[in-house]
Amino acid sequence: MQEMIKQRAQQQISFMSAQVEARRDQEIARLQQQQTAMAARIEHDRTVRETQITQTAAAAEQRRKQAELAQDMQQKVYDQMSKAGPAAGLGYGAGYGMGGFGYGGGLPFGPQIDPARVDEMKTAQQTHIGQQQEAIRAHVSATAEQQVNMIERVAAQQIELAVSQINQRRQIAKDQVMQGTQQRQWQVDQQHMQSTTALEQQALQLQAQGR
């Protein structure tokens, strides 16, 4: 009987442990899926932002080239006008006015775009984005690790509690079996003693009658 109780308790412990571990594995798998999805979103955001930076830098470079092209064209016009001679210069001066081209006070091409400065800003922004993404990844990874450790601890506590409860029930069942066995043994001893006493009394009666 005690062996059967022990086996049953072990089966209950195994079953309960399997359930707790299954729930633990499901929670860990869910956290890993969330971490993977978060990493994918982070990478997507990084790609989008780097693409925007690259496009902005390309647009700035395109504007720079357009400005250089316009400056070259106006410089050629100016050179041609300069070579036309004083008479042509007077004619142009009367018809169009040199001031219309903005010469003498600087060519009106707007603020100049420095390619080195554009590359510097692009690199700085990409570096900042990379550092920011790495910090987010590290935070997500650390948070996931903490949650996994907490799940492991909770699962271990649940298993420990279940084992303790099952062992308590097993001990109670064993005590009940022992108590029942002792009670039955006491009853058997009582019956034996009563039977022995009755036989002794009968023997005494027979002896008395034989006298």
Side-chain angles (χ1 to χ4, degrees):
M1 187 66 177
Q2 291 185 4
E3 185 63 26
M4 183 179 68
I5 293 174
K6 180 179 179 180
Q7 291 178 354
R8 183 179 179 184
Q10 290 176 345
Q11 291 174 353
Q12 290 177 342
I13 290 173
S14 298
F15 177 74
M16 191 63 97
S17 298
Q19 284 187 326
V20 173
E21 289 173 355
R23 290 196 298 269
R24 178 201 62 191
D25 293 342
Q26 289 176 354
E27 286 295 320
I28 292 175
R30 183 180 62 81
L31 286 175
Q32 289 175 344
Q33 290 176 352
Q34 291 179 348
Q35 185 178 7
T36 301
M38 181 65 73
R41 287 197 295 270
I42 291 171
E43 183 64 23
H44 174 72
D45 291 343
R46 183 188 66 81
T47 302
V48 170
R49 294 177 67 180
E50 287 189 349
T51 301
Q52 291 174 345
I53 291 172
T54 301
Q55 291 175 346
T56 301
E61 179 65 15
Q62 184 66 24
R63 289 195 299 271
R64 183 185 67 81
K65 290 181 179 180
Q66 290 175 352
E68 288 180 350
L69 180 60
Q71 183 177 7
D72 290 341
M73 291 178 63
Q74 292 190 16
Q75 185 66 42
K76 289 178 181 179
V77 171
Y78 176 76
D79 292 341
Q80 290 175 357
M81 291 173 60
S82 298
K83 294 177 182 179
L90 291 174
Y92 281 111
Y96 299 98
M98 296 298 290
F101 290 95
Y103 299 126
L107 299 178
F109 301 126
Q112 295 297 312
I113 298 175
D114 185 3
R117 178 58 178 167
V118 171
D119 289 339
E120 180 182 353
M121 293 178 62
K122 175 183 175 182
T123 301
Q125 290 178 353
Q126 289 177 335
T127 301
H128 174 70
I129 290 173
Q131 292 174 346
Q132 188 179 39
Q133 302 305 317
E134 287 300 323
I136 294 174
R137 285 194 188 94
H139 175 71
V140 170
S141 179
T143 302
E145 184 176 357
Q146 291 176 354
Q147 292 176 339
V148 168
N149 291 335
M150 183 179 65
I151 291 171
E152 292 282 1
R153 287 196 300 270
V154 171
Q157 291 173 356
Q158 290 177 344
I159 292 175
E160 183 179 358
L161 177 61
V163 169
S164 177
Q165 292 175 342
I166 292 172
N167 286 334
Q168 287 179 357
R169 291 196 296 268
R170 180 183 65 179
Q171 188 61 44
I172 292 172
K174 286 173 62 178
D175 292 342
Q176 291 175 346
V177 169
M178 292 297 297
Q179 184 178 3
T181 300
Q182 291 174 355
Q183 185 175 4
R184 287 193 297 273
Q185 185 64 42
W186 180 82
Q187 291 175 349
V188 170
D189 292 341
Q190 289 293 319
Q191 290 176 354
H192 176 71
M193 185 172 58
Q194 291 175 358
S195 298
T196 302
T197 302
L199 290 174
E200 289 177 353
Q201 290 177 352
Q202 290 177 0
L204 291 174
Q205 290 176 357
L206 291 173
Q207 289 178 0
Q209 290 175 1
R211 294 177 183 177

mmCIF file of all heavy atoms in Angstrom, residues 179-208:
data_model
loop_
_atom_site.group_PDB
_atom_site.id
_atom_site.type_symbol
_atom_site.label_atom_id
_atom_site.label_comp_id
_atom_site.label_asym_id
_atom_site.label_seq_id
_atom_site.Cartn_x
_atom_site.Cartn_y
_atom_site.Cartn_z
ATOM 1 N N GLN A 179 -2.022 4.137 10.491
ATOM 2 C CA GLN A 179 -3.000 4.184 11.570
ATOM 3 C C GLN A 179 -4.037 3.080 11.402
ATOM 4 O O GLN A 179 -4.421 2.405 12.372
ATOM 5 C CB GLN A 179 -3.668 5.551 11.595
ATOM 6 C CG GLN A 179 -4.638 5.739 12.762
ATOM 7 C CD GLN A 179 -5.246 7.125 12.778
ATOM 8 O OE1 GLN A 179 -4.975 7.927 11.884
ATOM 9 N NE2 GLN A 179 -6.051 7.419 13.774
ATOM 10 N N GLY A 180 -4.493 2.898 10.152
ATOM 11 C CA GLY A 180 -5.461 1.829 9.907
ATOM 12 C C GLY A 180 -4.859 0.464 10.168
ATOM 13 O O GLY A 180 -5.521 -0.430 10.726
ATOM 14 N N THR A 181 -3.591 0.282 9.790
ATOM 15 C CA THR A 181 -2.926 -1.003 10.026
ATOM 16 C C THR A 181 -2.790 -1.267 11.524
ATOM 17 O O THR A 181 -3.050 -2.396 12.006
ATOM 18 C CB THR A 181 -1.537 -0.995 9.361
ATOM 19 O OG1 THR A 181 -1.694 -0.777 7.953
ATOM 20 C CG2 THR A 181 -0.822 -2.311 9.579
ATOM 21 N N GLN A 182 -2.371 -0.220 12.249
ATOM 22 C CA GLN A 182 -2.226 -0.375 13.698
ATOM 23 C C GLN A 182 -3.566 -0.670 14.361
ATOM 24 O O GLN A 182 -3.658 -1.489 15.282
ATOM 25 C CB GLN A 182 -1.609 0.885 14.292
ATOM 26 C CG GLN A 182 -0.153 1.101 13.900
ATOM 27 C CD GLN A 182 0.380 2.428 14.386
ATOM 28 O OE1 GLN A 182 -0.369 3.239 14.951
ATOM 29 N NE2 GLN A 182 1.674 2.661 14.175
ATOM 30 N N GLN A 183 -4.625 -0.019 13.864
ATOM 31 C CA GLN A 183 -5.951 -0.256 14.443
ATOM 32 C C GLN A 183 -6.414 -1.687 14.167
ATOM 33 O O GLN A 183 -6.947 -2.346 15.053
ATOM 34 C CB GLN A 183 -6.940 0.751 13.855
ATOM 35 C CG GLN A 183 -8.327 0.675 14.491
ATOM 36 C CD GLN A 183 -9.252 1.762 13.981
ATOM 37 O OE1 GLN A 183 -8.869 2.513 13.094
ATOM 38 N NE2 GLN A 183 -10.444 1.841 14.532
ATOM 39 N N ARG A 184 -6.178 -2.123 12.923
ATOM 40 C CA ARG A 184 -6.558 -3.510 12.605
ATOM 41 C C ARG A 184 -5.725 -4.513 13.405
ATOM 42 O O ARG A 184 -6.234 -5.536 13.871
ATOM 43 C CB ARG A 184 -6.408 -3.752 11.107
ATOM 44 C CG ARG A 184 -7.494 -3.076 10.268
ATOM 45 C CD ARG A 184 -7.485 -3.604 8.840
ATOM 46 N NE ARG A 184 -6.233 -3.290 8.157
ATOM 47 C CZ ARG A 184 -6.012 -2.170 7.503
ATOM 48 N NH1 ARG A 184 -6.960 -1.223 7.444
ATOM 49 N NH2 ARG A 184 -4.843 -1.953 6.912
ATOM 50 N N GLN A 185 -4.443 -4.193 13.593
ATOM 51 C CA GLN A 185 -3.588 -5.078 14.384
ATOM 52 C C GLN A 185 -4.062 -5.128 15.834
ATOM 53 O O GLN A 185 -4.072 -6.195 16.467
ATOM 54 C CB GLN A 185 -2.130 -4.574 14.325
ATOM 55 C CG GLN A 185 -1.127 -5.490 15.011
ATOM 56 C CD GLN A 185 -1.028 -6.836 14.341
ATOM 57 O OE1 GLN A 185 -1.014 -6.925 13.115
ATOM 58 N NE2 GLN A 185 -0.979 -7.913 15.138
ATOM 59 N N TRP A 186 -4.458 -3.925 16.337
ATOM 60 C CA TRP A 186 -4.969 -3.887 17.709
ATOM 61 C C TRP A 186 -6.246 -4.731 17.836
ATOM 62 O O TRP A 186 -6.438 -5.457 18.812
ATOM 63 C CB TRP A 186 -5.231 -2.452 18.096
ATOM 64 C CG TRP A 186 -5.759 -2.300 19.495
ATOM 65 C CD1 TRP A 186 -5.055 -2.272 20.656
ATOM 66 C CD2 TRP A 186 -7.144 -2.176 19.863
ATOM 67 N NE1 TRP A 186 -5.870 -2.121 21.732
ATOM 68 C CE2 TRP A 186 -7.181 -2.072 21.279
ATOM 69 C CE3 TRP A 186 -8.333 -2.136 19.148
ATOM 70 C CZ2 TRP A 186 -8.373 -1.940 21.977
ATOM 71 C CZ3 TRP A 186 -9.504 -1.998 19.858
ATOM 72 C CH2 TRP A 186 -9.529 -1.899 21.248
ATOM 73 N N GLN A 187 -7.123 -4.622 16.818
ATOM 74 C CA GLN A 187 -8.348 -5.415 16.829
ATOM 75 C C GLN A 187 -8.052 -6.908 16.782
ATOM 76 O O GLN A 187 -8.675 -7.715 17.498
ATOM 77 C CB GLN A 187 -9.228 -5.020 15.630
ATOM 78 C CG GLN A 187 -9.824 -3.627 15.737
ATOM 79 C CD GLN A 187 -10.579 -3.215 14.484
ATOM 80 O OE1 GLN A 187 -10.497 -3.893 13.452
ATOM 81 N NE2 GLN A 187 -11.301 -2.096 14.569
ATOM 82 N N VAL A 188 -7.070 -7.285 15.954
ATOM 83 C CA VAL A 188 -6.683 -8.701 15.885
ATOM 84 C C VAL A 188 -6.131 -9.171 17.224
ATOM 85 O O VAL A 188 -6.463 -10.272 17.704
ATOM 86 C CB VAL A 188 -5.636 -8.911 14.762
ATOM 87 C CG1 VAL A 188 -5.040 -10.311 14.826
ATOM 88 C CG2 VAL A 188 -6.275 -8.689 13.401
ATOM 89 N N ASP A 189 -5.293 -8.310 17.847
ATOM 90 C CA ASP A 189 -4.736 -8.679 19.158
ATOM 91 C C ASP A 189 -5.826 -8.801 20.198
ATOM 92 O O ASP A 189 -5.794 -9.714 21.056
ATOM 93 C CB ASP A 189 -3.702 -7.624 19.592
ATOM 94 C CG ASP A 189 -2.453 -7.650 18.723
ATOM 95 O OD1 ASP A 189 -2.231 -8.684 18.047
ATOM 96 O OD2 ASP A 189 -1.710 -6.643 18.700
ATOM 97 N N GLN A 190 -6.799 -7.889 20.136
ATOM 98 C CA GLN A 190 -7.914 -7.951 21.084
ATOM 99 C C GLN A 190 -8.717 -9.232 20.896
ATOM 100 O O GLN A 190 -9.085 -9.909 21.874
ATOM 101 C CB GLN A 190 -8.816 -6.724 20.924
ATOM 102 C CG GLN A 190 -8.203 -5.428 21.424
ATOM 103 C CD GLN A 190 -8.012 -5.446 22.934
ATOM 104 O OE1 GLN A 190 -8.863 -5.921 23.689
ATOM 105 N NE2 GLN A 190 -6.853 -4.949 23.377
ATOM 106 N N GLN A 191 -8.991 -9.540 19.624
ATOM 107 C CA GLN A 191 -9.743 -10.767 19.351
ATOM 108 C C GLN A 191 -8.972 -12.000 19.815
ATOM 109 O O GLN A 191 -9.537 -12.946 20.384
ATOM 110 C CB GLN A 191 -10.049 -10.857 17.856
ATOM 111 C CG GLN A 191 -11.063 -9.825 17.378
ATOM 112 C CD GLN A 191 -11.268 -9.874 15.872
ATOM 113 O OE1 GLN A 191 -10.572 -10.615 15.173
ATOM 114 N NE2 GLN A 191 -12.190 -9.063 15.379
ATOM 115 N N HIS A 192 -7.651 -11.987 19.578
ATOM 116 C CA HIS A 192 -6.832 -13.113 20.001
ATOM 117 C C HIS A 192 -6.828 -13.240 21.518
ATOM 118 O O HIS A 192 -6.946 -14.349 22.068
ATOM 119 C CB HIS A 192 -5.402 -12.915 19.484
ATOM 120 C CG HIS A 192 -4.458 -13.971 19.952
ATOM 121 N ND1 HIS A 192 -4.498 -15.274 19.504
ATOM 122 C CD2 HIS A 192 -3.434 -13.926 20.874
ATOM 123 C CE1 HIS A 192 -3.559 -15.995 20.093
ATOM 124 N NE2 HIS A 192 -2.892 -15.177 20.934
ATOM 125 N N MET A 193 -6.708 -12.096 22.172
ATOM 126 C CA MET A 193 -6.689 -12.123 23.629
ATOM 127 C C MET A 193 -8.026 -12.592 24.176
ATOM 128 O O MET A 193 -8.084 -13.384 25.140
ATOM 129 C CB MET A 193 -6.350 -10.733 24.167
ATOM 130 C CG MET A 193 -6.188 -10.679 25.681
ATOM 131 S SD MET A 193 -5.574 -9.078 26.246
ATOM 132 C CE MET A 193 -6.844 -8.012 25.614
ATOM 133 N N GLN A 194 -9.118 -12.098 23.562
ATOM 134 C CA GLN A 194 -10.431 -12.534 24.016
ATOM 135 C C GLN A 194 -10.622 -14.029 23.794
ATOM 136 O O GLN A 194 -11.177 -14.740 24.645
ATOM 137 C CB GLN A 194 -11.514 -11.736 23.277
ATOM 138 C CG GLN A 194 -11.579 -10.264 23.671
ATOM 139 C CD GLN A 194 -12.564 -9.491 22.835
ATOM 140 O OE1 GLN A 194 -13.189 -10.051 21.926
ATOM 141 N NE2 GLN A 194 -12.713 -8.197 23.141
ATOM 142 N N SER A 195 -10.175 -14.517 22.635
ATOM 143 C CA SER A 195 -10.303 -15.949 22.350
ATOM 144 C C SER A 195 -9.471 -16.762 23.325
ATOM 145 O O SER A 195 -9.915 -17.814 23.843
ATOM 146 C CB SER A 195 -9.844 -16.242 20.915
ATOM 147 O OG SER A 195 -10.655 -15.563 19.980
ATOM 148 N N THR A 196 -8.270 -16.290 23.601
ATOM 149 C CA THR A 196 -7.402 -17.014 24.550
ATOM 150 C C THR A 196 -8.008 -17.021 25.934
ATOM 151 O O THR A 196 -8.004 -18.058 26.643
ATOM 152 C CB THR A 196 -6.012 -16.352 24.588
ATOM 153 O OG1 THR A 196 -5.453 -16.353 23.274
ATOM 154 C CG2 THR A 196 -5.080 -17.086 25.527
ATOM 155 N N THR A 197 -8.554 -15.890 26.330
ATOM 156 C CA THR A 197 -9.186 -15.805 27.665
ATOM 157 C C THR A 197 -10.387 -16.746 27.759
ATOM 158 O O THR A 197 -10.600 -17.438 28.775
ATOM 159 C CB THR A 197 -9.628 -14.368 27.942
ATOM 160 O OG1 THR A 197 -8.478 -13.511 27.859
ATOM 161 C CG2 THR A 197 -10.246 -14.234 29.310
ATOM 162 N N ALA A 198 -11.180 -16.769 26.660
ATOM 163 C CA ALA A 198 -12.352 -17.651 26.661
ATOM 164 C C ALA A 198 -11.934 -19.116 26.746
ATOM 165 O O ALA A 198 -12.550 -19.919 27.475
ATOM 166 C CB ALA A 198 -13.176 -17.406 25.401
ATOM 167 N N LEU A 199 -10.895 -19.481 26.050
ATOM 168 C CA LEU A 199 -10.410 -20.867 26.089
ATOM 169 C C LEU A 199 -9.891 -21.219 27.469
ATOM 170 O O LEU A 199 -10.128 -22.338 27.987
ATOM 171 C CB LEU A 199 -9.310 -21.072 25.033
ATOM 172 C CG LEU A 199 -9.769 -21.055 23.569
ATOM 173 C CD1 LEU A 199 -8.574 -21.112 22.631
ATOM 174 C CD2 LEU A 199 -10.718 -22.217 23.301
ATOM 175 N N GLU A 200 -9.181 -20.261 28.069
ATOM 176 C CA GLU A 200 -8.667 -20.530 29.415
ATOM 177 C C GLU A 200 -9.808 -20.701 30.416
ATOM 178 O O GLU A 200 -9.768 -21.559 31.302
ATOM 179 C CB GLU A 200 -7.744 -19.388 29.844
ATOM 180 C CG GLU A 200 -6.422 -19.375 29.082
ATOM 181 C CD GLU A 200 -5.563 -18.202 29.463
ATOM 182 O OE1 GLU A 200 -6.069 -17.339 30.227
ATOM 183 O OE2 GLU A 200 -4.391 -18.136 29.010
ATOM 184 N N GLN A 201 -10.846 -19.846 30.249
ATOM 185 C CA GLN A 201 -11.992 -19.969 31.155
ATOM 186 C C GLN A 201 -12.705 -21.305 30.965
ATOM 187 O O GLN A 201 -13.122 -21.966 31.936
ATOM 188 C CB GLN A 201 -12.957 -18.808 30.919
ATOM 189 C CG GLN A 201 -12.415 -17.465 31.399
ATOM 190 C CD GLN A 201 -13.354 -16.327 31.094
ATOM 191 O OE1 GLN A 201 -14.351 -16.517 30.383
ATOM 192 N NE2 GLN A 201 -13.035 -15.131 31.626
ATOM 193 N N GLN A 202 -12.871 -21.742 29.714
ATOM 194 C CA GLN A 202 -13.493 -23.035 29.452
ATOM 195 C C GLN A 202 -12.669 -24.171 30.042
ATOM 196 O O GLN A 202 -13.214 -25.147 30.609
ATOM 197 C CB GLN A 202 -13.667 -23.234 27.941
ATOM 198 C CG GLN A 202 -14.716 -22.337 27.327
ATOM 199 C CD GLN A 202 -14.816 -22.510 25.818
ATOM 200 O OE1 GLN A 202 -14.077 -23.325 25.241
ATOM 201 N NE2 GLN A 202 -15.709 -21.750 25.183
ATOM 202 N N ALA A 203 -11.355 -24.020 29.915
ATOM 203 C CA ALA A 203 -10.491 -25.082 30.475
ATOM 204 C C ALA A 203 -10.624 -25.147 31.971
ATOM 205 O O ALA A 203 -10.677 -26.246 32.572
ATOM 206 C CB ALA A 203 -9.030 -24.803 30.067
ATOM 207 N N LEU A 204 -10.710 -23.990 32.625
ATOM 208 C CA LEU A 204 -10.879 -23.977 34.076
ATOM 209 C C LEU A 204 -12.217 -24.573 34.486
ATOM 210 O O LEU A 204 -12.319 -25.312 35.493
ATOM 211 C CB LEU A 204 -10.755 -22.534 34.584
ATOM 212 C CG LEU A 204 -9.350 -21.903 34.499
ATOM 213 C CD1 LEU A 204 -9.410 -20.438 34.889
ATOM 214 C CD2 LEU A 204 -8.373 -22.666 35.396
ATOM 215 N N GLN A 205 -13.236 -24.259 33.694
ATOM 216 C CA GLN A 205 -14.559 -24.817 34.008
ATOM 217 C C GLN A 205 -14.561 -26.339 33.874
ATOM 218 O O GLN A 205 -15.140 -27.067 34.690
ATOM 219 C CB GLN A 205 -15.609 -24.186 33.094
ATOM 220 C CG GLN A 205 -15.872 -22.721 33.390
ATOM 221 C CD GLN A 205 -16.844 -22.107 32.391
ATOM 222 O OE1 GLN A 205 -17.270 -22.775 31.452
ATOM 223 N NE2 GLN A 205 -17.178 -20.797 32.615
ATOM 224 N N LEU A 206 -13.916 -26.807 32.817
ATOM 225 C CA LEU A 206 -13.841 -28.249 32.619
ATOM 226 C C LEU A 206 -13.070 -28.923 33.756
ATOM 227 O O LEU A 206 -13.437 -30.018 34.230
ATOM 228 C CB LEU A 206 -13.205 -28.584 31.275
ATOM 229 C CG LEU A 206 -14.047 -28.217 30.043
ATOM 230 C CD1 LEU A 206 -13.244 -28.428 28.760
ATOM 231 C CD2 LEU A 206 -15.339 -29.056 30.025
ATOM 232 N N GLN A 207 -11.996 -28.282 34.156
ATOM 233 C CA GLN A 207 -11.210 -28.830 35.269
ATOM 234 C C GLN A 207 -12.048 -28.863 36.535
ATOM 235 O O GLN A 207 -11.996 -29.837 37.314
ATOM 236 C CB GLN A 207 -9.958 -27.998 35.473
ATOM 237 C CG GLN A 207 -8.921 -28.175 34.377
ATOM 238 C CD GLN A 207 -7.695 -27.282 34.587
ATOM 239 O OE1 GLN A 207 -7.640 -26.534 35.575
ATOM 240 N NE2 GLN A 207 -6.726 -27.387 33.669
ATOM 241 N N ALA A 208 -12.828 -27.784 36.734
ATOM 242 C CA ALA A 208 -13.663 -27.742 37.951
ATOM 243 C C ALA A 208 -14.732 -28.816 37.898
ATOM 244 O O ALA A 208 -15.062 -29.446 38.911
ATOM 245 C CB ALA A 208 -14.288 -26.358 38.083
#
